[in-house]
Amino acid sequence: MKGFYFIVFGTLLMHNISAQDKYLTKEGFVSFFSHSIVEDIKADNNQVLSIVDTSTGKIAIQLLMRSFIFEKALMREHFNENYVESYKFPKATFSGEIKNFADLDETNTVAEIVGTLTVHGKQKEISSMVTVIIADNNITLTGDFMVEVADFDIKIPAIVANNIAKTIKVSFELHHEPYN
Amino acid sequence: MKYTLLFVIMLFVSLRGNSQDLESILEQESSDTTHLVFATFNGTRLLNGHSVETRKEGILEFMISHRFGRVNSGFDQLFGLDESNIRFGFEYAFADKLTIALGRSSFEKTFDTYAKYRLAQQKTGKNPFPLSITLFGSATAETIKDYLPENKPSFSERITYTGQVLLAHKMNPNLSLQVMPTFVHFNTVPFDNDPHDMFALGIGTRIKISKRVSLNGEYYYNINPFESVDVKNSLALGIDIETGGHIFQLVFTNAVSMIEKGFISETTGGFFNGDIHFGFNISRAFQIKKTK
């Protein structure tokens, strides 16, 4: 009988520990910025979902294209209707891994993040540096990277080609809290 | 043996909890959302009349609408191009849901003002709602001096009111439908037995043929038209071209007027007799106030 309790207790403990390996946010921040000679376009999204598994360093991020807010309201409509076609491809996702996650601590806060970015139904492998701040009860990831619009099959008509940059800067700031 | 089996089961349960992949957790966490359906129509006008769309807060839209004369007026009138009616208007969105506008038409020298309020928006997802609903109310004043000096009408006698409920449903990204129950009140009618209160039912559609180009159609059925005038139901067909900030609409219609009471209640041209006016609407939106 002692063995029975041991096993039950042991596996429950295991379950608990593994559950606390995951850190989630539903209010992550992602923005993108396009600079051109005609205008700068900036859009913010404050409803980004992101989850990190600290046992493996794996990370998954998901956002709705419709949740990007632009300075000019019409830009949002054009972005969704004409460029990213969010009625067909509502989400952008990233699935990847923070390399050497186990080695990160208070002094060593920079790691490489690699994975697959999916936007407009097209996938692209990306890698970038990320700053990881691990505090008592949360994990904060910040960083930025560049993406080529052409990699995601987003067509920009000639008439507005000068208004939109060919390379867009994406910035992110994600404050994860324990999941479950 | 019993314990081993139990251990394997518990381990499996425990591992399953652990191995639930990160993507599926995100799917689960994001499933309870509701999405607004927007861009049911390109612009605030279907063709002659209004669509359910309103502009976002802080946008000033300048609109120039133009209708030439009847295409069947012959070479002497250059197929209608010699004659032109124009309306220009300033339309400001005080809030995402509320637009107030002032306009002036050369036809009968009419001033118009309208308020448009977005009551509900179509939604998909967790709490879906099938319709976008917008309320429209306008008042117009004719200022043309086509009266005998001794019969000068008072200001109130030149006023006409229109109320509409615009109901729209976006079936898919390329097809939107709209229904427009309409009420028009004339303070002055042509003859005594003409109705002061008129009811009409409009239907309209947008069919997108590319990301920026759509075919639009609009028809108003007049339920109790004037009795003293041979009033026709207004029909408009057109092409909508959206070029980022500009919307350009080419219109073919049997109506001369570009305001509700005019094209709904006072259209006399027969579309299929060739009484077709070619025209266009050009809209330019300026962001006066930033959204943040």
Side-chain angles (χ1 to χ4, degrees), chain A residues 65-66 76-82 84-86, chain B residues 38:
Chain A
M65 300 308 262
R66 276 179 280 211
R76 183 179 183 184
E77 194 171 310
H78 297 152
F79 171 76
N80 284 290
E81 287 285 307
N82 301 338
V84 299
E85 300 175 276
S86 56
Chain B
F38 52 83

Side-chain angles (χ1 to χ4, degrees), chain A residues 136-148:
Chain A
D136 289 345
N137 239 343
N138 57 64
I139 296 173
T140 300
L141 306 180
T142 50
D144 53 61
F145 57 92
M146 305 298 287
V147 291
E148 300 275 328

Side-chain angles (χ1 to χ4, degrees), chain A residues 108-168:
Chain A
N108 180 20
T109 59
V110 178
E112 189 186 8
I113 183 168
V114 294
T116 309
L117 179 65
T118 308
V119 177
H120 194 230
K122 297 284 172 298
Q123 297 194 330
K124 171 84 181 161
E125 297 300 316
I126 60 162
S127 79
S128 167
M129 298 315 283
V130 58
T131 302
V132 184
I133 310 284
I134 303 174
D136 289 345
N137 239 343
N138 57 64
I139 296 173
T140 300
L141 306 180
T142 50
D144 53 61
F145 57 92
M146 305 298 287
V147 291
E148 300 275 328
V149 176
D151 285 342
F152 298 98
D153 196 23
I154 294 168
K155 292 189 181 66
I156 297 169
I159 190 170
V160 291
N162 289 332
N163 300 48
I164 300 168
K166 290 183 173 51
T167 310
I168 308 276

Side-chain angles (χ1 to χ4, degrees), chain A residues 1 4 7 11 14 22 26 44 60 62 64 70-74 78 81-82 87 91 95 179, chain B residues 3 6-7 10-11 18 23 25-27 29-30 35 55-56 173 208 211 242 244-245 287 291-292:
Chain A
M1 207 53 196
F4 172 76
I7 287 164
T11 47
M14 210 157 80
K22 294 193 181 77
K26 287 171 149 187
D44 296 341
Q62 182 186 100
L64 286 172
F70 293 74
E71 204 168 70
K72 293 181 180 176
L74 267 182
H78 297 152
E81 287 285 307
N82 301 338
Y87 49 87
K91 287 172 181 173
S95 174
Y179 175 63
Chain B
Y3 289 160
L6 187 69
F7 180 75
M10 298 273 321
L11 191 67
N18 191 22
E23 280 81 9
I25 295 176
L26 291 191
E27 284 303 323
E29 292 292 327
S30 68
H35 304 297
R55 289 300 180 201
K56 294 287 182 294
K208 264 194 157 183
K211 274 183 206 166
E242 188 270 311
Q287 186 95 33
T291 48
K292 53 178 178 179

